[in-house]
Amino acid sequence: MDFFPLYLTIKVSFFATVLAIGAGLLLAWVMAKREFWGKGLLDVVIMQPLVIPPTVLGYYLLALFGRSGWLGSLLDSLGVEIVFTWKGAVLAAFVSSLPLFVKPARAALEGVGSDLENAARLLGKTEWQVIRTITLPLAWRGLLAGAVMAFARATGEFGATLMVAGNIPGVTQTLPIAIYDAVQAGDSSSANVLVLIITLFSFSVLFVAGKIGRQRL
Amino acid sequence: MLEISLKKKLKGFEVGVELRLEEELLVLFGPSGAGKTMILKMISGIAAPDEGRVVSGGEVLFDSAKGVDLPVRKRKVGYLFQDYALFPHMTVEENIAYGIEGPKGTAVKKVAELLSLMRLTGLEKRYPHELSGGQKQRTALARTLAAEPGVLLLDEPFSALDYQVREKLRADLLNIHRLYPITTVLVTHDLEEAFMLGRKIAVINNGSIEQSGTREDVFYRPRTRNVARFMGVRNIFAGIVSGLEDSSVLIDTPDIGVIKAPRPQSGALTAGQEVSFCIRPEEILVIRPDRVLGKVQDNILECGITGAIGKGSTHILYLETGQGRTPLKVELPNFVVRKLELAVGRRVKVSLKRENIWVIA
């Protein structure tokens, strides 16, 4: 039994989630607290990975990050290779899990009414103090629930990962891809173990996310 | 001292106000949607005016001409939100201490002082959702005062409270204002509240001040028909000047005949000119049928009662003289209504005393 896919999936999902939280917090913040031209369009773009076929998403990423793509050639000149490496898997997982973080994060930040933040400003607090003492303490449940959902989505990423990172055993073969491989090869005992692992994980994630989301002061 | 002069375009109307007040309590009174809250938001910096100036205690907070726009946190403006905006994740004492600067010892002392002043002792460890409406309001006021603001802005502070609690807290607010005589602007659409709290009242309509002055001025000497209407002067009549005397003016109205009113000190009236005048429903006298009319009395009208509405401790009677369509509204204590057996269908004599009438120039 090869546990590399499990290890790789955890590693990829971890980095993808970290990226999703970083970029997602910024996006969620802007969407929740600012009004600007093209906000609706930005929302549509961020939410795309939820509805677009993963293979199409993978195709876009390939076009963008492949050696001839404009981001890919830029990174290539810096000596960074994305396509067909584990970083490609991170990229695919990051983009597909981003909306799952942004949606609840935005709702959580919007949930902290502007009156509360203004009340803190009126009491002499700087923007950073307002974020630290009012916004984050009131929104962290939503943010954490979003992070958990994003992590779960990252572990299950299949289509886009296959397009961008390929299926190289021991290099880019993540758990969902390993399951597909095992089934194709008729190795049902490996498939069963991997399926069980991912099922248990998904169940506990939704359970935990539900708990976090429900608890209120 | 607070001096403001602000302009801002909003959907459908424009807010444009100029106000100047000392360390006193000014009530901004007006109907919902008149722009009252927007004025508070612009003073505090939460909303940006298109142009204008805000000076508080000698410090310029905003001046569009000079490009001054202090951030909200530096304005030292205390703001009580309509729904209080208490921090739900903090206890009563944490909420109150939130804006206090300086060493912990002084903060603790100050919180204790405010807790007892606001009758919140014993509730310091409670969270906002464990408080009653009145307790929430007092916590929010304590939190605002704790930061030692130079100006206090109160946005409909009593609108979310029960009637009894409201009465008590209004009295509390006046006491607190005596203890902390901070320049205060209170926004309300409640006439009773405006009269009880504001020695000075500014009446806002459609974004601008229709009249400002002492409460007696605004209440008894409205300058426009709108102000009269907002102030609960329910008898407003239009007529034509039919005669002028030294201190009186005779006004011929289609509704209640010729009325003798005091001649306004300002503004020259000429015969034939159209004017409005008003009289408060509670200032109309009912003449008992058995009373002998001794001295000459002005404006005695014989009316039929066409309607009566109970209002708790008083009744509003609708009287018609048979001449016009606008009825006269008279507010009388219930016991008078009972004693004189005033009911729909009966006739009654009333006097609109000359000095109770106000001519809107």
Side-chain angles (χ1 to χ4, degrees):
Chain A
M1 180 81 218
D2 178 14
F3 281 102
F4 177 81
L6 180 61
Y7 156 74
L8 180 67
T9 298
I10 291 171
K11 172 170 147 185
V12 164
S13 303
F14 172 77
F15 284 109
T17 308
V18 169
L19 286 176
I21 291 173
L25 262 182
L26 200 72
L27 288 168
W29 189 274
V30 167
M31 299 297 286
K33 306 287 180 192
R34 297 271 175 271
E35 290 305 322
F36 53 90
W37 188 88
K39 187 167 165 176
L41 188 67
L42 180 62
D43 189 41
V44 170
V45 171
I46 298 170
M47 291 305 146
Q48 266 316 294
L50 287 181
V51 286
I52 207 168
T55 45
V56 174
L57 182 64
Y59 185 82
Y60 276 123
L61 291 176
L62 260 186
L64 214 61
F65 287 90
R67 283 216 178 152
S68 47
W70 63 273
L71 270 172
S73 52
L74 186 78
L75 288 168
D76 199 41
S77 65
L78 297 170
V80 181
E81 240 181 300
I82 299 281
V83 174
F84 300 125
T85 69
W86 71 273
K87 290 177 203 129
V90 170
L91 177 68
F94 157 61
V95 175
S96 0
S97 58
L98 186 64
L100 279 159
F101 176 77
V102 173
K103 226 177 162 57
R106 177 182 173 180
L109 294 175
E110 277 171 348
V112 182
S114 58
D115 275 2
L116 290 182
E117 288 162 341
N118 280 329
R121 290 183 190 113
L122 286 158
L123 292 165
K125 304 296 175 177
T126 62
E127 288 307 300
W128 173 238
Q129 284 171 320
V130 174
I131 291 171
R132 204 170 46 80
T133 59
I134 306 296
T135 316
L136 285 183
L138 288 171
W140 72 269
R141 284 177 186 285
L143 300 179
L144 187 62
V148 171
M149 292 298 285
F151 188 81
R153 176 70 183 80
T155 60
E157 207 339 275
F158 179 83
T161 310
L162 197 59
M163 297 283 284
V164 180
N167 177 9
I168 310 166
V171 182
T172 65
Q173 195 183 59
T174 60
L175 205 59
I177 297 172
I179 291 170
Y180 176 77
D181 244 23
V183 173
Q184 290 294 303
D187 179 3
S188 55
S189 64
S190 288
N192 284 344
V193 174
L194 297 175
V195 163
L196 185 68
I197 291 173
I198 220 152
T199 306
L200 282 177
F201 176 73
S202 301
F203 259 87
S204 31
V205 162
L206 275 187
F207 186 72
V208 170
K211 279 232 144 176
I212 296 168
R214 254 198 314 280
Q215 275 176 34
R216 286 256 166 258
L217 268 173
Chain B
M1 207 265 308
L2 178 69
E3 238 187 295
I4 64 167
S5 147
L6 293 166
K7 273 204 178 94
K8 186 178 178 72
K9 264 204 165 63
L10 296 172
K11 266 187 215 131
F13 70 112
E14 196 181 85
V15 175
V17 290
E18 281 188 34
L19 280 172
R20 202 194 138 88
L21 59 155
E22 304 299 321
E23 289 181 345
E24 59 195 339
L25 197 157
L26 171 86
V27 168
L28 280 187
F29 174 82
S32 308
K36 304 183 299 288
T37 298
M38 181 49 73
I39 295 169
L40 297 193
K41 286 188 169 172
M42 289 194 285
I43 297 173
S44 67
I46 297 174
D50 294 340
E51 57 181 287
R53 219 169 110 85
V54 180
V55 184
S56 163
E59 193 184 3
V60 180
L61 305 183
F62 180 85
D63 190 336
S64 57
K66 291 192 182 127
V68 181
D69 186 5
L70 276 193
V72 174
R73 69 170 194 280
K74 289 194 178 151
R75 294 197 177 197
K76 289 207 137 290
V77 168
Y79 197 122
L80 190 69
F81 289 85
Q82 195 170 357
D83 59 357
Y84 318 131
L86 289 173
F87 305 131
H89 58 305
M90 296 184 196
T91 60
V92 167
E93 67 185 354
E94 285 166 348
N95 264 286
I96 297 175
Y98 187 77
I100 302 178
E101 292 194 341
K104 199 156 186 258
T106 51
V108 171
K109 216 179 124 212
K110 213 160 158 187
V111 170
E113 210 179 283
L114 282 162
L115 280 168
S116 91
L117 176 70
M118 295 291 175
R119 296 182 283 115
L120 290 165
T121 315
L123 303 173
E124 39 285 71
K125 303 289 178 207
R126 295 250 186 115
Y127 284 92
H129 70 94
E130 299 168 312
L131 300 175
S132 71
Q135 291 163 346
K136 278 185 199 165
Q137 198 248 28
R138 282 169 358 232
T139 305
L141 189 56
R143 179 179 74 180
T144 303
L145 290 175
E148 296 181 1
V151 182
L152 189 57
L153 308 177
L154 310 170
D155 189 4
E156 304 262 6
F158 307 103
S159 62
L161 302 172
D162 300 340
Y163 187 75
Q164 292 96 324
V165 182
R166 215 182 286 182
E167 292 272 285
K168 176 100 183 72
L169 290 190
R170 281 176 189 158
D172 277 3
L173 181 72
L174 285 178
N175 275 329
I176 290 159
H177 193 257
R178 260 191 290 277
L179 285 171
Y180 295 84
I182 306 170
T183 307
T184 303
V185 182
L186 183 144
V187 156
T188 184
H189 64 265
D190 182 323
L191 179 61
E192 198 183 301
E193 190 167 300
F195 194 74
M196 181 173 167
L197 297 176
R199 277 174 187 289
K200 272 189 162 179
I201 298 177
V203 182
I204 309 279
N205 187 33
N206 267 326
S208 48
I209 297 174
E210 289 228 1
Q211 184 174 353
S212 76
T214 65
R215 82 175 134 212
E216 286 73 22
D217 258 351
V218 178
F219 209 68
Y220 294 106
R221 295 180 280 281
R223 268 211 298 270
T224 65
R225 287 177 72 106
N226 271 336
V227 171
R229 216 157 40 83
F230 298 151
M231 284 295 141
V233 185
R234 300 184 56 196
N235 300 299
I236 307 171
F237 295 97
I240 288 176
V241 176
S242 63
L244 287 161
E245 296 169 9
D246 281 349
S247 59
S248 298
V249 51
L250 294 172
I251 303 168
D252 192 357
T253 73
D255 292 304
I256 52 174
V258 177
I259 295 294
K260 192 177 199 176
R263 194 173 175 165
Q265 282 160 352
S266 60
L269 288 179
T270 51
Q273 185 188 341
E274 200 173 307
V275 287
S276 295
F277 66 90
C278 61
I279 182 165
R280 301 192 65 84
E282 67 274 19
E283 309 249 329
I284 294 177
L285 304 176
V286 170
I287 302 167
R288 290 204 317 272
D290 56 337
R291 182 157 158 210
V292 186
L293 296 173
K295 283 185 231 149
V296 185
Q297 292 209 25
D298 304 312
N299 309 324
I300 294 186
L301 303 175
E302 172 118 26
C303 308
I305 303 174
T306 58
I309 296 173
K311 262 187 76 183
S313 58
T314 63
H315 263 74
I316 301 273
L317 300 180
Y318 290 77
L319 309 182
E320 273 176 41
T321 56
Q323 297 188 46
R325 271 174 299 142
T326 315
L328 204 58
K329 288 132 219 153
V330 180
E331 186 165 8
L332 293 170
N334 288 345
F335 75 90
V336 175
V337 174
R338 265 199 314 274
K339 202 169 165 204
L340 300 181
E341 296 174 339
L342 300 173
V344 176
R346 302 200 51 152
R347 296 194 70 77
V348 65
K349 246 189 217 162
V350 294
S351 161
L352 276 55
K353 286 189 88 176
R354 199 188 72 100
E355 61 264 34
N356 292 347
I357 296 177
W358 173 253
V359 175
I360 302 168

